[in-house]
């Protein structure tokens, strides 16, 4: 044993202590030791820079510890510890640079026992001891770990200004604490405490750099396991084996499982003006569905107890890659889900066993609405056509929507308690129209029959539209990407090709800037 004296020039005093052990404290390390008497302390030192956040945590066994932090000038900065506590924490922001001293001792006369001392100094470099958890994390990853008595686990990731950062911590057998620190070491947000086992941070980065996440016990004296999840938008992300997420196809049905604190990310591309419909049906938990734009900004968020059927209907104001985030909307719940995307007027798939696709005039289309289902149908029509749509449902209140060739919503009908919905609409332009069938009351399932009249299922050329000194012609009913040749004549004998192109994704073509000539006729041919 030796006697160590700390000179305190501000008070012209010298503090002398019986020091059993002394050594350097490494950031991230788990420093263990033994206290044999209350008048003996173990001393540790570390260097810090102005602005660093210093987290010191002491877990003790068979005694109540005392934890003291001294500054570079030997001034006592903070002290914690008293009976019957066995888990003590100091969180301090350094106001100057230099060497700091930590003293560990017993808080009660005559007590002795073992301890583990942990240092999490942010934003400095740190180690991850063998068998412990921490280090760099990848967007989309699931990071599991164990919190021992007084444990501090640090993780890092890089982000750019404007990114949406979602962190979620699910804990078992203890209440967790989740903290986010910025690139300069400043604490940005902290959540956690008894009796919560599912903590979430949603933060928009105001600067770029390396961020630090600190995971610990949020109650004191507890231990257990955890899973940490990161969803950082709009960055690339991974989908771990056995988890769900990734690129979505329009019209697809995406099923998954939400584990404790889970965050599942999906992406899709959209064009400005597209109507985006996202619907989430959940079983055994209340979901939360969030839509983020190409720049990472949150566009819409719905969900919460007791809902099990959530809908986002949004119109894209710009083009790019959008991100969908699926999670538990109540906290601490787990279960299964089905996510559906109906993006209009983009091409879509009809999954096996589902309903949708092209319609013909007078057709009757039957189907089944599962939880949060979205069924899309299409047909072509021209300006002046009168469209009649009727939806009859059984055991479910239906919702019938009609979208124009541009993706704009034209009509929407359906609400409780109706099971027979009608749309009568006169087309103002030519192209492919989309019908969306869904549950209109939420969380219901059942069967339906959809009929359509006044629609085209054959090739048709609409009457020319005069715009100044030019004509605009539109043809509909072809197959997407099929070749079309437009001919004109003034004598009905000699036909001259004036335009060769392809039907677009709406099964239409448009010919513009043709000079107006009185008595001119047009026809088109699909070779």
């Amino acid at each position: 044993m030796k006697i160590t004296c700390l000179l305190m020039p501000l008070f012209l005093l010298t503090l002398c202590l019986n020091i059993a052990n002394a050594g350097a404290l490494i950031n991230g390390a788990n420093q263990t030791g033994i206290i044999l008497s209350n008048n003996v302390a173990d001393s540790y030192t570390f260097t810090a820079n102005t602005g660093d956040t210093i987290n010191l945590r002491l877990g003790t066994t068979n005694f109540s510890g005392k934890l003291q932090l001294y500054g570079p000038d030997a001034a006592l900065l903070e002290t914690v510890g008293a009976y019957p506590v066995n888990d003590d924490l100091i969180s301090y922001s350094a106001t100057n640079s230099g060497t700091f001293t930590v003293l560990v001792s017993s808080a009660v006369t005559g007590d002795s026992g073992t301890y583990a001392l942990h240092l999490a100094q942010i934003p400095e470099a740190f180690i991850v001891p063998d068998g412990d958890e921490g280090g760099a994390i990848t967007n989309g990853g699931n990071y599991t770990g164990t919190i021992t008595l007084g444990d501090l686990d640090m993780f890092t990731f890089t982000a750019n200004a404007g990114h949406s950062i979602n962190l979620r911590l699910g804990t078992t057998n203890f209440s967790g604490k989740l903290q986010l620190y910025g690139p300069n070491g400043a604490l940005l947000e902290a959540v956690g405490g008894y009796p919560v086992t599912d903590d979430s941070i949603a933060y928009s980065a105001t600067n770029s750099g390396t961020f630090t996440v600190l995971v610990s016990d949020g109650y004191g004296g507890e231990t257990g396991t955890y899973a940490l999840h990161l969803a950082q938008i709009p960055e690339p992300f991974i989908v771990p084996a056995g988890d769900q997420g990734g690129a979505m196809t329009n019209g697809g049905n995406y099923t998954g499982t939400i584990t404790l604190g889970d965050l599942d990310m999906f992406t899709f591309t959209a064009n400005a003006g597209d109507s985006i419909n996202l619907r989430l049906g959940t079983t055994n938990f209340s979901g939360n569905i969030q839509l983020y734009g190409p720049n990472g900004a949150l566009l819409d968020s719905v969900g919460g107890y007791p809902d099990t059927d959530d809908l986002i209907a949004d119109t894209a104001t710009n083009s790019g890659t959008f991100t969908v985030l699926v999670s538990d909307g109540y906290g601490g719940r787990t279960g299964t889900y089905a996510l559906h995307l109906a993006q209009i007027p983009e091409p879509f798939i009809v999954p096996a066993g589902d309903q949708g696709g092209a319609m013909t005039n007078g057709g009757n289309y039957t189907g089944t609405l599962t939880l949060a289902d979205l069924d899309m149908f299409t047909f072509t029509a021209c300006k002046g056509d009168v469209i009649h749509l009727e939806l009859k449902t059984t055991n479910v209140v239906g919702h019938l929507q009609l979208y124009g060739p541009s993706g704009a919503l034209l009509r929407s009908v359906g609400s409780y308690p109706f099971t027979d919905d009608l749309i009568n609409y006169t087309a103002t332009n030519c192209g492919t129209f989309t019908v969306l069938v869904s549950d209109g009351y939420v969380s219901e399932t059942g069967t339906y029959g959809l009929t359509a009249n006044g629609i085209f299922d054959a090739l048709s050329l609409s009457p020319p539209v005069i715009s100044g000194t030019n004509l605009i012609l539109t043809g509909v009913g072809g197959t997407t990407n099929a070749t079309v040749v437009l001919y004109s004549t003034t004598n009905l004998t000699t036909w001259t090709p004036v335009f060769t192109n392809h039907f677009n994704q709406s099964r239409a073509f448009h010919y513009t800037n043709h000079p107006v000539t009185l008595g001119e006729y047009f026809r088109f041919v699909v070779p």
Side-chain angles (χ1 to χ4, degrees), residues 67-121:
L67 182 63
Q68 295 172 284
L69 176 64
Y70 291 86
D73 58 359
L76 178 62
L77 302 176
E78 196 164 341
T79 182
V80 294
Y83 178 82
V85 179
N86 66 350
D87 188 351
D88 297 297
L89 173 67
I90 287 176
S91 185
Y92 178 79
S93 182
T95 57
N96 53 353
S97 300
T99 300
F100 292 73
T101 301
V102 181
L103 295 183
V104 177
S105 60
S106 171
V108 178
T109 302
D111 277 358
S112 62
T114 59
Y115 68 84
L117 175 64
H118 307 265
L119 170 64
Q121 181 184 348

Side-chain angles (χ1 to χ4, degrees), residues 112-193:
S112 62
T114 59
Y115 68 84
L117 175 64
H118 307 265
L119 170 64
Q121 181 184 348
I122 303 166
E124 303 303 327
F126 62 91
I127 67 168
V128 180
D130 290 342
D132 208 342
E133 298 82 32
I137 56 179
T138 301
N139 190 25
N142 304 325
Y143 296 88
T144 58
T146 300
I147 290 294
T148 56
L149 187 60
D151 203 6
L152 298 173
D153 288 352
M154 285 185 285
F155 300 85
T156 60
F157 64 91
T158 58
N160 295 316
H163 283 185
S164 290
I165 298 168
N166 295 276
L167 290 159
R168 195 145 182 176
L169 177 69
T171 59
T172 302
N173 296 326
F174 77 106
S175 295
K177 185 176 183 181
L178 180 63
Q179 295 170 276
L180 175 64
Y181 293 84
N184 64 351
L187 178 63
L188 302 176
E189 196 163 343
V191 294

Side-chain angles (χ1 to χ4, degrees), residues 489-523:
T489 183
T490 56
N491 56 24
L492 297 179
T493 301
T494 304
W495 292 87
T496 303
V498 294
F499 176 73
T500 300
N501 210 312
H502 297 85
F503 287 99
N504 61 24
Q505 64 184 22
S506 296
R507 299 174 60 205
F509 74 85
H510 302 279
Y511 175 53
T512 60
N513 299 323
H514 184 81
V516 174
T517 301
L518 295 179
E520 187 173 14
Y521 297 86
F522 297 90
R523 72 176 183 182

Side-chain angles (χ1 to χ4, degrees), residues 77 79 92 96 125 210 212 250 276 280 298 337 366 372 399 434 450 459 501 503 527:
L77 302 176
T79 182
Y92 178 79
N96 53 353
T210 299
T212 303
N250 190 26
I276 299 168
L280 176 70
L298 178 63
Y337 67 85
T366 59
H399 188 202
T434 303
L450 173 66
L459 299 174
N501 210 312
F503 287 99

Side-chain angles (χ1 to χ4, degrees), residues 307-350:
D307 297 328
T308 58
D309 187 351
D310 298 299
L311 172 67
I312 287 177
D314 192 76
T315 300
T317 58
N318 53 352
S319 300
T321 300
F322 292 72
T323 302
V324 181
L325 184 60
V326 176
S327 61
D328 169 25
Y330 185 70
R333 303 288 182 89
T334 62
T336 59
Y337 67 85
L339 174 65
H340 308 266
L341 170 64
Q343 181 185 348
I344 302 166
E346 304 302 327
F348 62 90
I349 65 170
V350 179

Side-chain angles (χ1 to χ4, degrees), residues 3 89 112 116 188 264 278 287 332 337 355 368 443 471 479 491 510:
I3 297 177
L89 173 67
S112 62
L188 302 176
D264 287 352
L278 289 159
Y337 67 85
Q355 297 81 40
T368 299
S443 298
L471 290 179
T479 302
N491 56 24
H510 302 279

